[in-house]
Amino acid sequence: MASKNRFLVRNPEKGDLNQYWYSKGTIEALVLEVVEFGGEGTAFLSTPSIYFSTPAEIRQKCKVFDIDTAWKKDPGFVYFDFNKLDDVPADLHGTFAMVVIDPPFIMREVWEAYAMATAARLLLQPGGKILATTIAENEELMAELLDVKPCVFKPSIPHLVYQYKLYTNYDSPNLNQRNPEIPEDHDGA
Ligand SMILES: C[S@@+](CC[C@H](N)C(=O)[O-])C[C@H]1O[C@@H](n2cnc3c(N)ncnc32)[C@H](O)[C@@H]1O
């Protein structure tokens, strides 16, 4: 039997926090991306499944920013409410090589919060990498706020009704390929 993802097994999704986890296969693909491009330090903004699935030697240089205190004992956990960006610790500003973002909502106001203080611009080093997921209809918004473009690879989020796209501000050979988890008629490729 194929091995299970420990994070997915241990953390049932909480509806009140809009928790929709990526599939095991998508987690594995995004972890590879972090290992390749964010190994010097990645901020996982509302993307705990990727943080907790990243190899320990890299994870120790990373932080997971989330409102769910279930993970507060983890040394990389930073309590984060996108409505309270002033609370992001100053010593973390501008320190990350990469940010990985999947907010609990898809609307403009929420993406403005994640982009602005963002988490991305606030936490990211100059020239840092951005990897974000949201709906296809947000393509223009994502370009405007974060200067990111959609990849061929689309994430699988099994309990979400929308098919998300994955957006980056850099070219990634791995993400230039279809995700075999997504049926071609949903893929638009
Ligand atoms: C749609 S899920 C994204 C999870 C991601 N797909 C993954 O597999 O790791 C939204 C995430 O935002 C977190 N969240 C909910 N409300 C939040 C808030 N006000 N500020 C920051 N994070 C929040 C949830 O706990 C959850 O981890």
Side-chain angles (χ1 to χ4, degrees):
M1 195 176 74
S3 66
K4 296 197 169 167
N5 175 287
R6 237 160 63 138
F7 176 88
L8 295 179
V9 171
R10 292 183 176 186
N11 294 275
E13 291 165 338
K14 295 175 184 158
D16 55 332
L17 293 179
N18 275 337
Q19 292 181 339
Y20 294 98
W21 307 142
Y22 301 117
S23 69
K24 177 175 179 277
T26 291
I27 291 172
E28 286 166 4
L30 300 189
V31 165
L32 282 182
E33 205 59 19
V34 169
V35 169
E36 186 163 350
F37 294 103
E40 290 310 307
T42 291
F44 293 88
L45 303 175
S46 306
T47 48
S49 74
I50 312 297
Y51 169 79
F52 284 103
S53 304
T54 294
E57 65 275 17
I58 290 180
R59 196 166 69 234
Q60 66 189 5
K61 294 188 240 169
C62 303
K63 300 278 181 202
V64 59
F65 294 75
D66 206 284
I67 203 164
D68 189 344
T69 54
W71 308 296
K72 67 180 178 195
K73 292 200 176 134
D74 186 274
F77 179 78
V78 180
Y79 179 80
F80 171 67
D81 180 350
F82 71 82
N83 297 297
K84 298 181 185 161
L85 295 172
D86 291 345
D87 294 352
V88 172
D91 61 328
L92 295 178
H93 290 189
T95 61
F96 294 96
M98 186 172 198
V99 294
V100 181
I101 315 173
D102 188 6
F105 305 101
I106 55 178
M107 61 268 217
R108 168 177 273 275
E109 304 76 61
V110 175
W111 269 110
E112 278 174 351
Y114 273 80
M116 234 173 59
T118 358
R121 300 272 181 241
L122 187 71
L123 293 168
L124 202 60
Q125 291 169 355
K129 305 273 192 293
I130 300 173
L131 191 159
T133 54
T134 187
I135 53 172
E137 291 78 0
N138 275 352
E139 183 169 339
E140 274 183 35
L141 177 69
M142 298 299 285
E144 175 196 327
L145 296 179
L146 289 167
D147 201 15
V148 290
K149 292 190 184 131
C151 304
V152 174
F153 183 98
K154 295 188 179 70
S156 165
I157 306 177
H159 298 146
L160 195 64
V161 288
Y162 314 110
Q163 176 56 61
Y164 269 19
K165 282 192 175 182
L166 192 147
Y167 297 83
T168 59
N169 68 342
Y170 62 95
D171 287 326
S172 163
N174 296 332
L175 301 177
N176 219 0
Q177 300 173 34
R178 283 193 55 237
N179 180 355
E181 297 172 300
I182 307 294
E184 279 191 55
D185 55 341
H186 285 202
D187 200 24

